[in-house]
Amino acid sequence: MSTDSTAYRPATRLLHAGVERTPFGETSEAMFLTSGFVYDNAEQAEATFTGDVVHYQYSRFGNPTVAALESRLADLEGAEACIATSTGMGAVSSALLAHVKAGDRVVASRALFGSCHWIVANLLPRYGVETEFVDGRDLDAWATALSRPAAAVLLESPSNPMLEILDIRAISELAHAAGALVVVDNVFATPLYQKPLELGADVVVYSCTKHIDGQGRVLGGAVLGRRDWITDTLQPFTRNTGNALSPFNAWVMLKGLETLPLRVRAMTENAAAVADHLAAAEGVTRVFYPGRADHPQYDLARSQMSDASTLVAFEVAGGKEGAFAFMNALRLIAISNNLGDARSMVTHPATTTHMKIGPEERARLGISDGAIRFSVGLEDIADLKDDLDRGLAALRSR
Ligand SMILES: *Cc1c(COP(=O)(O)O)cnc(C)c1O
């Protein structure tokens, strides 16, 4: 079959896009664990370096297995081009650092993954880039911040950990009027549920460590966008700074993509059931799930996402002690700060992923000491509910 034909639907293309078989005719993608490549003669080497001949040079620049992943991810996203990176943070940091220079401004939503927050708050200012955080849900705050020119906007929706929803279409319009490149961290939505490029964003970044591997094995990331930006702005940066994905990790992620729709759909069904179960439970004070009508931005979520999330955030009574009592009573659901895994995991953001930002910033983000983030896995929903009930019983008997 034609490997990149848009005649096929997304689930089909996740199995077939980007395949370039070797003469052996292997069914599964070949894994090219090689750092370098050889040339037929000195002339071919020269022509490769001048760009007259297309030939792999060195795996920091390009590798066939990594290229297969990039091509399949671009196909899934509907993007012109993709560069895979060593981690999700490699994707976020390269996208921003490749684009900005001293004297530029960057505006970001406050509710960001911890390391993304650190890059905007601490790293960019060190290189002479002015940065500003806004409450991402507040369009007036965006309008004020973007009334002056900006080079880039970074946002995450749904956000980590409290699943705030940001209006990507409206923010992109404001950002473009200020001259900014709009970068969306789409990890929580997955490429299946939200298409930021269709909503007006310029660049989409992923931690492929999460749902794309989805089985807790390898780290990786990806940046997707217009071909000219990827080739002229991002590629020289990633190639020369060494932000390259291992071909082994790329191969694992190609396998992950084959089952991505099945896993994400089943995990979302479980997450919706978990959210309803928690919302009805004594001891749970609030549930944040974009698929529930009581989510503060339910209508916005429905207007820009095709489904909700595999993550649920909730708050228990009793603050940190309540949350710890709940988590320590769980037997099946692991205490782990990864997410998007086939196994269910809970984390307490205030003492782990969002500890370093401090109590004031946590209060601004609505991360209370009783807040728990639940990445819902593929276990049988009855077993998940039984385990949650164990946690709830421990919480109530404190
Ligand atoms: C995990 C994550 C990242 C960072 O990805 P790594 O692969 O861990 O470097 C960035 N953004 C979000 C929203 C994430 O969940």
Side-chain angles (χ1 to χ4, degrees):
M1 83 179 243
S2 161
T3 53
D4 56 2
S5 167
T6 49
Y8 298 103
R9 291 161 187 84
T12 310
R13 304 210 311 252
L14 280 173
L15 291 152
H16 298 279
V19 173
E20 272 189 66
R21 290 209 167 85
T22 74
F24 293 119
E26 65 282 350
T27 38
S28 175
E29 297 78 0
M31 195 201 303
F32 291 93
L33 278 181
T34 179
S35 40
F37 301 85
V38 296
Y39 306 98
D40 293 340
N41 48 51
E43 285 77 11
Q44 190 188 36
E46 181 186 27
T48 300
F49 276 75
T50 59
D52 293 331
V53 162
V54 178
H55 192 290
Y56 285 103
Q57 289 156 282
Y58 188 54
S59 284
R60 173 154 53 76
F61 276 45
N63 171 284
T65 311
V66 177
L69 175 69
E70 291 169 337
S71 140
R72 195 171 295 175
L73 285 172
D75 185 85
L76 170 64
E77 194 68 38
E80 286 176 11
C82 171
I83 287 183
T85 55
S86 56
T87 63
M89 283 322 302
V92 175
S93 61
S94 285
L96 290 174
L97 288 167
H99 188 75
V100 301
K101 59 183 187 314
D104 281 348
R105 281 181 80 228
V106 170
V107 181
S109 56
R110 184 167 277 128
L112 290 178
F113 184 75
S115 295
C116 299
H117 194 276
W118 183 85
I119 285 176
V120 175
N122 299 302
L123 184 68
L124 292 176
R126 204 186 284 174
Y127 296 98
V129 177
E130 184 191 333
T131 63
E132 185 176 340
F133 285 109
V134 296
D135 178 337
R137 295 162 300 183
D138 182 351
L139 286 178
D140 292 337
W142 283 108
T144 306
L146 294 168
S147 60
R148 289 195 289 141
V153 155
L154 174 67
L155 64 95
E156 192 180 306
S157 181
S159 71
N160 178 43
M162 301 311 289
L163 302 165
E164 286 176 3
I165 307 292
L166 275 55
D167 189 337
I168 297 174
R169 206 179 263 119
I171 297 165
S172 297
E173 271 176 32
L174 291 166
H176 289 153
L181 180 88
V182 178
V183 181
V184 174
D185 183 335
N186 206 38
V187 165
F188 273 46
T190 81
L192 300 171
Y193 290 167
Q194 180 168 271
K195 302 282 187 201
L197 300 178
E198 288 173 14
L199 296 167
D202 304 293
V203 173
V204 182
V205 289
Y206 288 103
S207 166
C208 301
T209 315
K210 310 297 165 55
H211 303 83
I212 290 173
D213 170 27
Q215 286 147 91
R217 300 165 294 193
V218 295
L219 301 177
V223 186
L224 299 110
R226 278 192 302 276
R227 186 172 305 284
D228 58 346
W229 184 83
I230 294 276
T231 308
D232 302 339
T233 303
L234 184 65
Q235 193 174 65
F237 187 92
T238 52
R239 284 183 165 185
N240 293 303
T241 58
N243 189 359
L245 182 66
S246 152
F248 177 80
N249 291 10
W251 183 86
V252 171
M253 282 162 182
L254 279 164
K255 298 290 105 187
L257 282 177
E258 294 180 359
T259 56
L260 182 72
L262 290 174
R263 285 183 287 108
V264 169
R265 200 176 306 124
M267 286 156 71
T268 306
E269 277 171 25
N270 275 355
V274 158
D276 291 344
H277 189 71
L278 289 169
E282 197 192 320
V284 174
T285 48
R286 275 190 84 175
V287 171
F288 302 84
Y289 188 66
R292 279 178 57 88
D294 60 3
H295 188 283
Q297 290 116 8
Y298 176 67
D299 291 333
L300 178 58
R302 283 180 54 127
S303 77
Q304 66 183 17
M305 300 179 72
S306 59
D307 208 328
S309 181
T310 66
L311 289 116
V312 179
F314 61 102
E315 220 172 61
V316 296
K320 176 182 166 182
E321 282 173 33
F324 277 28
F326 175 91
M327 289 166 69
N328 288 337
L330 301 172
R331 280 191 232 144
L332 174 64
I333 302 164
I335 300 173
S336 175
N337 46 272
N338 196 10
L339 62 95
D341 196 287
R343 294 162 197 77
S344 287
M345 297 170 177
V346 287
T347 191
H348 183 246
T351 53
T352 61
T353 54
H354 290 71
M355 179 185 59
K356 291 217 176 86
I357 62 171
E360 277 172 32
E361 188 69 355
R362 278 200 297 278
R364 258 187 244 135
L365 293 173
I367 306 171
S368 70
D369 287 348
I372 295 172
R373 187 192 74 193
F374 186 178
S375 174
V376 185
L378 287 172
E379 295 90 348
D380 190 297
I381 187 62
D383 290 328
L384 289 178
K385 286 182 183 171
D386 287 349
D387 208 36
L388 291 174
D389 289 344
R390 267 191 282 274
L392 291 164
L395 172 68
R396 286 193 291 263
S397 67
R398 273 190 325 123

